Amino acid sequence: MTDLPAPPERIPILGTEIATSVLEPETGNPAGDVVLCHGTPWSTETWLPVARALARSFRVFLWDMPGYGRSIRGSDPPVDLVHQRHRLTALIDHWDLDRPHVVAHDIGGAVALGSHLLDGAAFASLYLLDVVALDPWGSPFFRLVSEHHEVLAALPENLHAALVREYISGAGGDTLTPARVEELARPWCSPRGQVAFYRQIAALTPDHTAPIVARLAETRCPVHIGWGADDSWIPVAQAAELAGRFPGQPGVTTFQGTGHLVQLEAPTELALDLRRWLGTLPS
């Protein structure tokens, strides 16, 4: 996996610190600003191959939500979708971005949509990739954790690590190698990470996406949807259903042979689709 820019800039936002990075073109002026939002149980790392490709032309902003990746702290603040959307809104203000393009995956989609529809953040466009929004969402594993997160947080370290690896490996197809699974699981396998893993799942609820879904028709920017054809976490059928909730019936790109982690399973194809999409929009 491509190394993260180091060290991250830690920005104080609404009582916590958010680990961030910015990638820029090596030459020339950027064609615009792109903010990338990760999902669960992921972090900025999942976006790096695509971020590097986009940064040839755009200024790319990356952030690890509190409770994830480089933003896992000793005493994490609330990690529900409402708090995360407020942080994204405040972070865009802190960066002084004027209508950035936003690309969001998984629960990052709910965070971005909530920032736009409920907090009033102005975006130039939204690209939504295998996003959490429509019911039903939340697997039986999610429900189990929600009911027993304190017990699971006390699992012996080796059992917890095995559970996390198995959970993550189910997200992708054959391209999600054991080495890649190990990289993605690593932030969750420290004592702090183990507690954070169960906290963030327990905090996620459809109650926080229902108000967002109710207002999808009020979206004020162009939208495109991408989805892994073999996504076993959120069925691809949701892509067309979600598109029907937005104004103007957004286009949908289906990535064949990929699961829930298109940005790692097919980064070249996704980057090409993003560049195509961004190229259709007014500058």
Side-chain angles (χ1 to χ4, degrees), residues 15-69:
T16 187
E17 282 191 349
I18 298 178
T20 69
S21 299
V22 181
L23 305 181
E24 301 189 55
E26 293 183 3
T27 60
N29 295 321
D33 296 323
V34 178
V35 177
L36 300 179
C37 300
H38 69 79
T40 178
W42 323 114
S43 70
T44 288
E45 286 204 30
T46 60
W47 276 122
L48 275 179
V50 172
R52 298 284 187 192
L54 290 177
R56 295 172 194 151
S57 304
F58 295 88
R59 193 166 56 148
V60 180
F61 294 79
L62 300 145
W63 65 299
D64 282 352
M65 290 187 291
Y68 297 81

Side-chain angles (χ1 to χ4, degrees), residues 155-164 198:
L155 279 173
E157 180 179 332
N158 62 324
L159 294 181
H160 163 72
L163 185 153
V164 171
Y198 297 109

Side-chain angles (χ1 to χ4, degrees), residues 1 9 14 19 29 32 40 46 53 90 94 152 157 168 171 189 278-279:
M1 190 177 293
E9 180 183 3
L14 301 179
N29 295 321
T40 178
T46 60
H94 173 88
L152 291 168
E157 180 179 332
I168 288 174
C189 292
L278 293 170

Side-chain angles (χ1 to χ4, degrees), residues 176-234:
L176 205 60
T177 64
R180 180 61 58 81
V181 169
E182 187 67 29
E183 289 176 334
L184 294 172
R186 188 175 296 118
W188 304 113
C189 292
S190 68
R192 286 181 179 176
Q194 179 168 346
V195 173
F197 179 79
Y198 297 109
R199 280 188 75 238
Q200 54 90 19
I201 292 179
L204 301 175
T205 168
D207 291 345
H208 292 162
T209 52
I212 297 168
V213 172
R215 297 183 62 174
L216 291 178
E218 301 173 28
T219 302
R220 306 181 305 279
C221 66
V223 175
H224 191 81
I225 295 170
W227 222 277
D230 302 323
D231 189 337
S232 62
W233 284 16
I234 310 177

Side-chain angles (χ1 to χ4, degrees), residues 127 253 255 262 265-274:
Y127 188 109
T253 301
F255 296 90
V262 176
E265 298 175 73
T268 301
E269 293 84 349
L270 176 58
L272 286 171
D273 197 55
L274 281 165

